[in-house]
Amino acid sequence: MRLLLMGPPGAGKGTQAAAVSEALEIPAISTGEILRRNVAEQTALGRQASPYMDRGDYVPDEIIDDMVRDRLSEPDTKPGFLLDGYPRTLAQVEALAEILSDAGSELDRVVELVVDTEEVVRRLTARAAQDGRSDDSEDVVRRRLEVYVEQTAPVLDAYRERGLLVRVDGTGRVGEVTGRVLAALGDPGN
Ligand code: AMP
């Protein structure tokens, strides 16, 4: 099963990526995590990416696309994979389609975790307070959500048009949400 997991910050994407990848026995691949590891290890890729990341900008498509192509050529992705944090632009949508078609495969599903804006604001501000972060004020959290909607709406639309998008209610307990995601993946009519 070749999957994408999408959803706003605070939707519980990381937690669900881990649970779904374990249930389906496929690797969860987060582009943000690969980049942070490369920055920490000061690889050539990390040195190229870090100025963009430090500014909060997107790393250029060519760098990300090459990185994903490399990762998806590893043998553990043969039975499938769950990508988190990629694609984020329409150019990346096309690059991923090409990477997969070069390998003779294609995406099976794109799962969007849907969480009400007020619920996400509540979760993120609570998390910020717990972590002692003062930068995650309600205004900043709302801005991050606006940016997510602006940037990912075209990507979601592209997958909706291709009939790949499934929307899953991301509210409730972790296990309940995982159950909904797995049910949605098993039901082609969903
Ligand atoms: P994340 O942990 O997914 O929020 O990613 C952290 C940072 O890595 C982002 O702010 C971007 O600078 C960079 N990044 C991760 N994934 C991508 C992507 N698909 N395209 C461009 N930049 C990305």
Side-chain angles (χ1 to χ4, degrees):
M1 178 87 74
R2 287 170 292 268
L3 298 176
L4 306 185
L5 186 63
M6 302 189 59
K13 219 155 30 94
T15 309
Q16 292 303 328
V20 171
S21 83
E22 192 181 319
L24 298 179
E25 300 184 349
I26 52 176
I29 300 170
S30 149
T31 45
E33 245 170 56
I34 300 177
L35 288 167
R36 278 188 290 277
R37 196 165 61 234
N38 275 275
V39 171
E41 291 170 1
Q42 299 188 351
T43 65
L45 171 65
R47 280 196 297 273
Q48 272 181 303
S50 71
Y52 298 97
M53 297 171 74
D54 289 347
R55 290 195 300 268
D57 288 340
Y58 279 178
V59 174
D61 289 336
E62 308 77 50
I63 298 177
I64 297 283
D65 295 337
D66 283 352
M67 185 180 96
V68 171
R69 184 181 284 276
D70 280 355
R71 180 63 187 89
L72 294 183
S73 71
E74 288 177 28
D76 66 328
T77 63
K78 267 251 164 329
F81 53 80
L82 185 158
L83 268 172
D84 160 14
Y86 178 94
R88 271 177 155 92
T89 64
L90 285 178
Q92 293 178 8
V93 169
E94 295 314 322
L96 177 61
E98 196 178 304
I99 291 168
L100 293 176
S101 85
D102 287 351
S105 69
E106 56 186 11
L107 275 182
D108 295 305
R109 280 301 160 88
V110 177
V111 176
E112 180 189 5
L113 283 181
V114 181
V115 183
D116 174 69
T117 303
E118 295 314 312
E119 168 69 12
V120 170
V121 169
R122 200 188 54 72
R123 286 188 197 178
L124 288 178
T125 46
R127 189 157 81 187
Q130 205 175 23
D131 297 348
R133 282 171 54 169
S134 54
D135 58 328
D136 256 353
S137 65
E138 192 175 319
D139 284 354
V140 175
V141 166
R142 286 190 190 279
R143 178 65 199 142
R144 278 168 62 198
L145 289 171
E146 275 171 25
V147 169
Y148 168 81
V149 171
E150 279 165 23
Q151 289 169 342
T152 55
V155 172
L156 289 171
D157 286 346
Y159 288 124
R160 188 177 296 115
E161 280 164 20
R162 290 170 205 196
L164 291 175
L165 190 68
V166 281
R167 303 181 86 223
V168 173
D169 178 5
T171 51
R173 289 203 316 274
V174 170
E176 280 169 2
V177 178
T178 309
R180 277 182 217 137
V181 172
L182 295 173
L185 293 174
D187 173 5
N190 191 292

